[in-house]
Amino acid sequence: MIRGSTELVAIVGSPITQVKSPENFNTWFSHHHHDLAMLPIDLQGTALGAFADTLRGWHNLRGCVVTVPYKQALATQVDELSPRAAALGSVNVIRRERDGRLLGDNVDGAGFLAAARQHGFEPSGKSALVVGCGGVGSAIAYALAEAGLGQVTLADACASRTSALADVLGKPFPRLQITTHYHSLEGFDLVVNASPVGMGESAELPLAVELLGTLQPTTLVADVVTSPEITPLLHLARQRGCPVQTGAHMAFAQLGHLGAFMGVTPLEI
Ligand code: NAD
């Protein structure tokens, strides 16, 4: 029940009907008897500037989760960015301070990392292949690097994306080995698809079948795609005996990070 006293958080994107955060957060608020609610907001792009101003003046709003396609655009509208959000040039969560200032962070990578750790993967000194170097792939690579990854191989259908991400990672993580060349999947401790390939009914794989034939059963194979839960990549990886991490694992592990940044849940929920 939303009452006059209820404090609010929001999630903004367009479209918005597909997002799971409102049901996840509202279920958690209700189970824990918190007088809080999350509202889904489907916003037109031309209204983004006015929206940021409205957030500043919205007294009973604690924060706002940001989803596609506004993660980059809203990063330019907030008053302060965390170091990782500044490096990535994107936010997926905004906190409204009591004085109306808006602080932005990006916890996509933290969610991925938390899920990977739940699968026994500890990045320190390890080697990873990140396929898809857009918003989410960049956040994942950044989080892995922050956690001490030794070597990262970057792949994307668009070469400018891999070089842009290599530039983002190079400065803060001088000890990280960064490459874009690979001929086999042997030797990777982690292979992650951070591209949309495999979504829906497509049955597409983000890597060539011959390459996937070189997957070793010790490699954790992860996908960011949430629907289907077991993507063609994860299906094939399971057949090869690999542990797999789904997009739903990552999304769920992120909830506490989003909620904690907005000050409405603990980090672990
Ligand atoms: P984006 O458009 O910023 O990046 C996608 C990248 O994938 C692009 O750089 C594109 O060039 C690359 N790409 C496309 N096809 C490719 C291919 N065949 N091989 C290699 N690279 C290819 O998108 P994004 O915001 O990074 O989102 C990526 C996916 O992550 C989406 O499917 C989104 O739904 C999903 N996502 C999942 C979670 C989660 O918690 N599980 C969170 C956010 C986004």
Side-chain angles (χ1 to χ4, degrees):
M1 175 66 74
I2 297 185
R3 302 178 179 82
S5 58
T6 304
E7 288 201 291
L8 301 171
V9 286
I11 175 165
V12 65
S14 191
I16 205 71
T17 51
Q18 78 290 354
V19 297
K20 300 285 184 287
S21 287
E23 59 210 77
N24 289 332
F25 275 102
N26 289 325
T27 302
W28 192 90
F29 295 149
S30 149
H31 281 172
H32 292 79
H33 308 290
H34 289 311
D35 193 11
L36 277 159
M38 177 175 269
L39 305 175
I41 298 177
D42 186 341
L43 195 78
Q44 192 169 305
T46 50
L48 275 180
F51 179 70
D53 274 344
T54 301
L55 294 184
R56 287 187 183 89
W58 194 337
H59 286 143
N60 65 342
L61 183 110
R62 304 284 293 275
C64 183
V65 175
V66 182
T67 187
V68 181
Y70 299 136
K71 293 181 182 185
Q72 285 81 13
L74 274 173
T76 65
Q77 299 282 338
V78 298
D79 302 308
E80 193 179 326
L81 291 170
S82 67
R84 61 189 169 192
L88 296 166
S90 72
V91 294
N92 75 339
V93 61
I94 295 171
R95 176 169 75 236
R96 181 188 182 280
E97 301 282 54
R98 293 289 173 192
D99 64 1
R101 281 172 52 76
L102 302 180
L103 311 186
D105 195 8
N106 188 320
V107 300
D108 271 326
F112 179 88
L113 189 56
R117 284 187 164 133
Q118 285 162 14
H119 286 82
F121 178 79
E122 188 45 60
S124 184
K126 299 273 172 55
S127 172
L129 170 65
V130 178
V131 182
C133 299
V136 170
S138 301
I140 290 172
Y142 195 93
L144 290 169
E146 252 186 333
L149 192 76
Q151 192 274 337
V152 69
T153 301
L154 304 175
D156 197 290
C158 172
S160 65
R161 290 283 180 111
T162 52
S163 53
L165 179 53
D167 287 346
V168 166
L169 298 174
K171 210 186 247 174
F173 308 111
R175 287 201 295 195
L176 175 69
Q177 288 179 40
I178 307 171
T179 173
T180 53
H181 301 290
Y182 61 106
H183 304 288
S184 158
L185 302 181
E186 281 179 86
F188 288 117
D189 302 295
L190 169 71
V191 170
V192 51
N193 174 44
S195 81
V197 177
M199 248 169 105
E201 312 276 296
S202 75
E204 270 183 287
L205 289 163
L207 291 163
V209 175
E210 309 79 67
L211 260 179
L212 288 165
T214 64
L215 255 182
Q216 301 300 301
T218 48
T219 302
L220 174 63
V221 179
D223 210 318
V224 299
V225 169
T226 49
S227 180
E229 183 159 6
I230 300 301
T231 58
L233 172 68
L234 296 185
H235 181 71
L236 192 144
R238 269 189 179 165
Q239 285 179 332
R240 295 195 60 85
C242 301
V244 302
Q245 173 180 317
T246 66
H249 281 140
M250 168 179 166
F252 194 75
Q254 221 185 114
L255 284 181
H257 289 266
L258 295 168
F261 186 74
M262 295 186 290
V264 296
T265 72
L267 197 55
E268 294 200 3
I269 64 175

